[in-house]
Each structure stands twice: as C-alpha cells, then as structure tokens.
Amino acid sequence: QVQLQESGPGLVEPSETLSLTCDVSGYSISSGYFWGWIRQPPGRGLEWIARIYHSGITNYNPSLKGRVSISVDTSKNQFSLRLTSVTAADTAIYYCVRLPPDYWGQGILVTVSS
Amino acid sequence: DVVMTQTPLSLSVTPGQPASISCRSSQSLLSSDGKTYLYWYLQKPGQSPQLLIYEVSRRFSGVPDRFSGSGSGTDFTLKISPVEAEDVGLYYCMQGTHLPLTFGGGTKVDIK
C-alpha cells in the first residue's frame, strides 16, 4: 500500500523559508506518477501548490509567485518543498500526495509566526 | 484558472435517504486525450481528504457503490444513495485537466 509521510518544522518565522519533506513507502517514485503538495489553511479549502515527476519535470501554482520549488530524491524515495518569504497567509496544513491525488499523507500543520 | 463551483454549501441528510452534490467548472474539463479529469473527495473531520471518484464516474479502490459520479463538460454530480452516518464530512470536487489544479469550495454534509 502506498504511504506518504510529511516531516519538517511546525513553526516558521515570517520572511523565512518553509522546508518540508515527504517520505514515500510502498511505491517507487521512479516507477511513475507525479508527486506533489497541497495545502489547506485552517478551516478553509484546498490549494494545489506544486508537482514533480521523477525525471524532474515540475509545475507550480502561479499564485505562489515564484516563491516555491519542489525537488525529488529518487535514491531516498522522497520529495521536498521549499517556500520562501513566508507570511501568516502561508499558515496551513501541508499534504504531500501522489497525483492525481489518490494517496495523501496525514498532513503537517505549519504555522508562520514570530 | 478554472473555477470550480460547488452547490449546495451544506446539506443535512436523513440516513437511508439519497444526497446529491453539484460541481460546475468555468471551462470544459474534457481533455485532448478524450478523458475528463474530474475527481471527488471526502474529508472526514480531522482527516486527510480521501479519493472517492476519479475521471467523473470511476470509483476508487474500496469506495462503496453507494457513491456514484456523473456529468460531462462543465457540469458534474456526486450522488450518495443511501447516505450512511459515516458519510459526514466535507466533500470537494477537483479538476485535473488544466493547470493549476483547482478545487471546489466544499460541501458540508451532516446527518439529521
């Protein structure tokens, strides 16, 4: 069974960089599918952030205006998210997913605050 | 961006009765490959969203057959028949035909 697990700091200071990693088990990233991130501000809806293919092909949501990057490490079967210059508006539960979103991680709450 | 509009915003259903949620997209979701990438998710309280339906009408592995999806182009419907107590939560539609991927605002379903 495909399982995804997010990890990273739960608290990030304003203007700093948010970094998260997703460990995948039960499926090799190199076997296919896009892998990506979706976030959900507390009490609000879902927003797709970015996706990556094992070959390195990437797509980003333009709403994040170039602040976001996604990378993959096939040797560790994991992928990562970086979001720079964070503000309180970036406070959310961040989910890593296999795309199209069929398998989801449990989510990690990241709070942007000093 | 493709705007996904869900109606109603909330729904209160008697167990054993049917329920229906509508999702409308601002552009056709028919892809050049002939497929329509419309998905339905259920987010139970305190949990990650779970996939119910993919490509308009295909049930994901393990999803009960009381969930069904239909539609084409820009108009889609999720039907639950009959509703069970465990079906409470937020339902979202999502389109995967156009980038960026976009979600509907959600429909909250509770039990009377």
Side-chain angles (χ1 to χ4, degrees):
Chain A
Q1 173 153 347
V2 182
Q3 293 185 312
L4 300 94
Q5 179 67 59
E6 305 89 351
S7 61
L11 181 64
V12 181
E13 293 198 356
S15 79
E16 297 295 313
T17 296
L18 180 161
S19 295
L20 298 174
T21 295
C22 182
D23 288 293
V24 179
S25 59
Y27 190 88
S28 171
I29 286 178
S30 298
S31 294
Y33 286 94
F34 274 94
W35 303 83
W37 295 89
I38 291 168
R39 70 180 182 179
Q40 184 173 36
R44 298 183 62 185
L46 299 158
E47 179 183 34
W48 170 73
I49 300 171
R51 70 178 188 179
I52 189 166
Y53 199 64
H54 65 82
S55 62
I57 296 172
T58 58
N59 297 105
Y60 299 104
N61 193 325
S63 69
L64 291 159
K65 298 178 182 178
R67 297 191 295 128
V68 63
S69 65
I70 189 171
S71 59
V72 65
D73 186 337
T74 54
S75 67
K76 295 181 179 179
N77 215 38
Q78 65 182 202
F79 58 100
S80 299
L81 176 75
R82 280 173 50 91
L83 182 64
T84 61
S85 305
V86 297
T87 69
D90 296 309
T91 293
I93 298 172
Y94 286 76
Y95 298 101
C96 60
V97 297
R98 188 176 80 168
L99 288 158
D102 52 5
Y103 293 97
W104 297 61
Q106 66 182 24
I108 182 169
L109 174 62
V110 179
T111 301
V112 178
S113 174
S114 55
Chain B
D1 297 4
V2 177
V3 177
M4 304 295 288
T5 303
Q6 284 182 237
T7 55
L9 291 179
S10 64
L11 200 52
S12 189
V13 188
T14 301
Q17 294 300 303
S20 180
I21 300 171
S22 173
C23 177
R24 182 166 291 179
S25 59
S26 61
Q27 298 178 34
S28 174
L29 301 186
L30 178 62
S31 176
S32 56
D33 64 6
K35 293 184 178 181
T36 299
Y37 296 101
L38 185 283
Y39 305 82
W40 288 99
Y41 296 88
L42 165 58
Q43 186 174 31
K44 296 183 178 182
Q47 296 185 16
S48 306
Q50 57 190 76
L51 178 62
L52 298 174
I53 302 288
Y54 65 100
E55 294 174 17
V56 180
S57 60
R58 296 174 180 261
R59 270 187 301 276
F60 188 56
S61 174
V63 175
D65 61 7
R66 64 178 182 274
F67 292 93
S68 63
S70 63
S72 64
T74 61
D75 288 293
F76 305 93
T77 301
L78 175 71
K79 292 184 178 176
I80 314 169
S81 185
V83 170
E84 296 190 1
E86 65 185 28
D87 299 335
V88 297
L90 276 163
Y91 288 79
Y92 294 97
C93 59
M94 190 209 83
Q95 67 82 20
T97 300
H98 306 281
L99 291 179
L101 309 181
T102 49
F103 291 85
T107 295
K108 184 176 181 179
V109 173
D110 63 26
I111 299 296
K112 283 183 180 175

